[in-house]
Amino acid sequence: MQIPENLEQAVAFIKRAHTPTVQVGVILGSGLGNFVNEINVEKEISYNDIPHFPVSTVKGHSGKLIFGEIAGKKIVAMAGRFHFYEGYAAAEVAFPIRIMKLLGVHTLLISNAAGGVNTGFKVGDLMIITDHISFATVNPLIGKNEEAFGPRFPDMSEPYSKDLIQKGKEVAKQLNIPVKEGVYFGVTGPTFETRAEYKMINLLGGDAVGMSTVQEVMVAVHAGIKVFGMSIITDIGIREEENTITHEEVLHAAAEAEPKFSAIFKALVKAI
Ligand code: HPA
């Protein structure tokens, strides 16, 4: 089946630069870039150099594909991701996921910084994503279905692999790192939520809210990639007091929690 030309060109470029067979993809969220220190890096390719690859604009995202190995597993990490709020089309946000698929990725580990909506959460908590609600985000699969990747109407009953959730909980337990579980509520941003919106998200069943992930997951699941997702709770949206939220605060909280997050992701790559 026909692979779209822009993807073919991008993959051909990557394969010329490096001949990777990768099994595991990793997407690093805001403030979580230090995870790359866990990788025995073989090759880095800047997004700018890859034909048709979107370029990230957000502070805290450096913008490159990092190829390497962790515990004998070949991985490709995206340091820097694309958000709908930056002005990319939903399909552009999804582009790198299809690149990963074409490079051989069968398992994708996704991370993000998110606002806590569950009243039992506190800043610095890690939440394994068990499900998501895509709220007012644009579905990246709208348009001609790319049959080479998956069906017109993909099943979404298990967007986050139950098996990987189980493995994630096991490795966290072995590492003695407490983790929460919950539903990630995806919004477009770039505004943080109003107090009324945080309340609404809580009522609708969201445990954490963020501006990424859901579109990437839809494209991954469409392509038959197994997904594991983890949120770092960087602020508590649902609250009584008069505090505000800034991007700096989000980056700071993510960086603080990053060692715990990295330990879990590393152990999970090993366990896959
Ligand atoms: N809302 C939306 N996205 C976020 C938040 C939040 O409170 N924190 C980090 N990303």
Side-chain angles (χ1 to χ4, degrees):
M1 256 175 281
Q2 190 76 28
I3 306 292
E5 203 176 337
N6 57 350
L7 279 165
E8 252 185 359
Q9 287 170 356
V11 168
F13 173 87
I14 293 167
K15 286 188 170 166
R16 271 198 304 278
H18 183 54
T19 23
T21 21
V22 274
Q23 298 135 23
V24 180
V26 180
I27 302 181
L28 300 171
S30 302
L32 300 173
N34 272 349
F35 177 76
V36 301
N37 298 333
E38 309 291 343
I39 305 171
N40 297 318
V41 177
E42 291 163 358
K43 178 82 183 170
E44 297 189 352
I45 306 179
S46 168
Y47 295 163
N48 296 325
D49 296 336
I50 305 172
H52 311 292
F53 214 86
V55 177
S56 182
T57 63
V58 186
K59 210 160 68 176
H61 293 256
S62 60
K64 54 190 174 188
L65 286 183
I66 300 170
F67 291 91
E69 174 261 321
I70 292 179
K73 303 261 167 53
K74 294 286 184 187
I75 80 160
V76 55
M78 278 183 78
R81 58 143 63 97
F82 306 104
H83 304 85
F84 190 61
Y85 64 75
E86 293 175 83
Y88 300 110
E92 283 182 290
V93 174
F95 186 84
I97 310 297
R98 288 189 166 160
I99 297 280
M100 286 188 185
K101 174 73 185 182
L102 294 172
L103 292 174
V105 165
H106 56 66
T107 300
L108 179 62
L109 311 185
I110 296 191
S111 58
N112 57 56
V117 180
N118 182 315
T119 52
F121 288 3
K122 55 184 193 319
V123 169
D125 278 351
L126 305 181
M127 182 188 90
I128 293 178
I129 305 176
T130 52
D131 205 344
H132 74 219
I133 296 172
S134 171
F135 188 81
T137 67
V138 176
N139 194 307
L141 300 174
I142 288 174
K144 175 176 167 283
N145 184 49
E146 296 298 348
E147 296 287 331
F149 290 97
R152 172 72 291 187
F153 300 106
D155 178 73
M156 278 288 149
S157 59
E158 193 185 327
Y160 303 86
S161 154
K162 286 202 180 103
D163 174 45
L164 291 175
I165 291 170
Q166 189 52 37
K167 285 203 170 92
K169 291 199 305 199
E170 279 163 22
V171 299
K173 195 164 179 199
Q174 280 157 16
L175 291 164
N176 242 329
I177 300 172
V179 285
K180 312 276 192 196
E181 288 174 64
V183 173
Y184 179 86
F185 195 94
V187 294
T188 67
T191 46
F192 290 114
E193 288 61 42
T194 64
R195 283 169 207 283
E197 285 165 346
Y198 282 120
K199 226 185 265 176
M200 174 198 75
I201 292 164
N202 178 268
L203 281 171
L204 291 181
D207 295 295
V209 54
M211 306 174 194
S212 66
T213 301
V214 292
Q215 291 171 320
E216 296 154 350
V217 172
M218 286 186 240
V219 175
V221 171
H222 177 247
I225 296 173
K226 283 171 74 176
V227 178
F228 177 83
M230 181 172 270
S231 294
I232 315 302
I233 304 302
T234 56
D235 52 271
I236 300 298
I238 187 126
R239 65 214 185 287
E240 299 302 327
E241 68 271 32
E242 294 293 305
N243 52 350
T244 55
I245 303 173
T246 64
H247 185 53
E248 284 62 37
E249 204 182 307
V250 167
L251 290 180
H252 179 75
E256 291 258 294
E258 187 277 332
K260 287 189 293 180
F261 151 79
S262 279
I264 291 176
F265 262 37
K266 186 179 173 186
L268 190 54
V269 170
K270 230 185 257 184
I272 288 168

